Amino acid sequence: MDLAAADERSGLAVISWSPGRAAVSSAALGASDAAIVAAVQGSDKAGIDCPLGWPAPFVSFVAAHASGAVSPPAPGGGASWRRRLAYRMTDEVVRAQTGLIPMSVSADRIGHAAFRAAGLLSLLSPDGAPLSRAGDGQVVEVYPAASLLRWGLTHRGYKRAGLASDLVSSLLAAAPWLSLGAFEPLCRRSHDALDAVVAALAARAAATGRATQPTPEQLPAATTEGWIALPTSPLADLVAASPQSS
């Protein structure tokens, strides 16, 4: 899903997989919390294009600020201090591996969507057991632009008016086994719907062991901050794995 703070900007797509092919079985804009929860519960793996947590230093900073006990940065260290507050470990890993800079969940407007994501994770774990944010459970955090980059497709500028259609054509040429079916016109006119499809493809990569995973050293931070799964294989490899829905 391409998760936004408001329903009307949230795209939701489901891909059904079978030997040698994949088909978008549903795609829509205006996804409500109830629709998202139902889709995740009905899938084997769900990719969410939204931060699933905040940087640990930022969480500590807010708690310290509430009690009036913030420790200021050392002289000359303000920029690096602010960067640790703004970016998660996984954001820095994505930056190092792709050159792309994810939006800061602490300092950018994507924080509004992250509030919603936190609520959705709670709805998805009614027994109180927290869902994993490290990508090893039913949900995984994804970054469509980085996924497209890894697959050799256009990853910049396609959200400008009219350009999503060009990316759809490129995606279908690179993945002739993928059918958008009746949802192709929607994906061509809406980058939110298209991003939801890319998120589902990235979820497939994570579900089949074809995406980055945190190392043992990275796992503690990924567990609380979230982990962006980056595809590690070509698009064609996604259809070679066993069937499932994402």
Side-chain angles (χ1 to χ4, degrees), residues 17-21 204-205 207-210 236-244:
W17 299 83
S18 56
R21 67 184 303 271
R204 171 71 166 186
T208 58
R210 293 171 170 84
D237 288 357
L238 301 186
V239 81
S242 58
Q244 64 178 37

Side-chain angles (χ1 to χ4, degrees), residues 152-164:
L153 297 169
T154 299
H155 64 285
R156 296 185 189 276
Y158 67 92
K159 297 189 178 184
R160 294 198 295 269
L163 296 185

Side-chain angles (χ1 to χ4, degrees), residues 97-110:
Q97 293 191 7
T98 69
L100 300 179
I101 304 175
M103 293 179 68
S104 166
V105 66
S106 306
D108 288 324
R109 291 182 63 184
I110 198 170

Side-chain angles (χ1 to χ4, degrees), residues 61 64 68-79 81-82 84-85:
F61 169 79
V70 169
S71 298
W81 178 71
R82 290 190 297 273
R84 288 193 297 273
L85 297 177

Side-chain angles (χ1 to χ4, degrees), residues 59-70:
V59 174
S60 298
F61 169 79
V62 171
H65 184 270
S67 64
V70 169

Side-chain angles (χ1 to χ4, degrees), residues 89 134-136 211-223 226-228:
M89 176 203 65
D136 54 346
T212 55
Q213 299 177 2
T215 65
E217 293 75 22
Q218 294 168 334
L219 186 58
T223 298
W227 175 263
I228 297 171

Side-chain angles (χ1 to χ4, degrees), residues 72-241:
S80 60
W81 178 71
R82 290 190 297 273
R83 179 166 170 168
R84 288 193 297 273
L85 297 177
Y87 294 102
R88 303 171 295 163
M89 176 203 65
T90 190
D91 299 328
E92 299 292 3
V93 171
V94 169
R95 184 200 302 253
Q97 293 191 7
T98 69
L100 300 179
I101 304 175
M103 293 179 68
S104 166
V105 66
S106 306
D108 288 324
R109 291 182 63 184
I110 198 170
H112 291 273
F115 296 151
R116 186 181 184 190
L120 285 169
L121 292 183
S122 295
L123 291 173
L124 288 164
S125 54
D127 60 356
L131 264 65
S132 173
R133 302 175 202 167
D136 54 346
Q138 192 174 18
V139 301
V140 61
E141 184 178 337
V142 297
Y143 183 10
S147 295
L148 292 167
L149 174 63
R150 284 290 182 98
W151 290 326
L153 297 169
T154 299
H155 64 285
R156 296 185 189 276
Y158 67 92
K159 297 189 178 184
R160 294 198 295 269
L163 296 185
S165 183
D166 294 339
L167 179 54
V168 168
S169 297
S170 298
L171 174 62
L172 294 177
W177 40 263
L178 174 65
S179 171
L180 299 180
F183 308 105
E184 184 171 335
L186 174 63
C187 292
R188 287 189 179 277
R189 69 174 182 266
S190 168
H191 62 77
D192 296 315
L194 177 56
D195 272 352
V197 171
V198 175
L201 291 170
R204 171 71 166 186
T208 58
R210 293 171 170 84
T212 55
Q213 299 177 2
T215 65
E217 293 75 22
Q218 294 168 334
L219 186 58
T223 298
T224 60
E225 296 183 349
W227 175 263
I228 297 171
L230 299 173
T232 56
S233 71
L235 265 172
D237 288 357
L238 301 186
V239 81

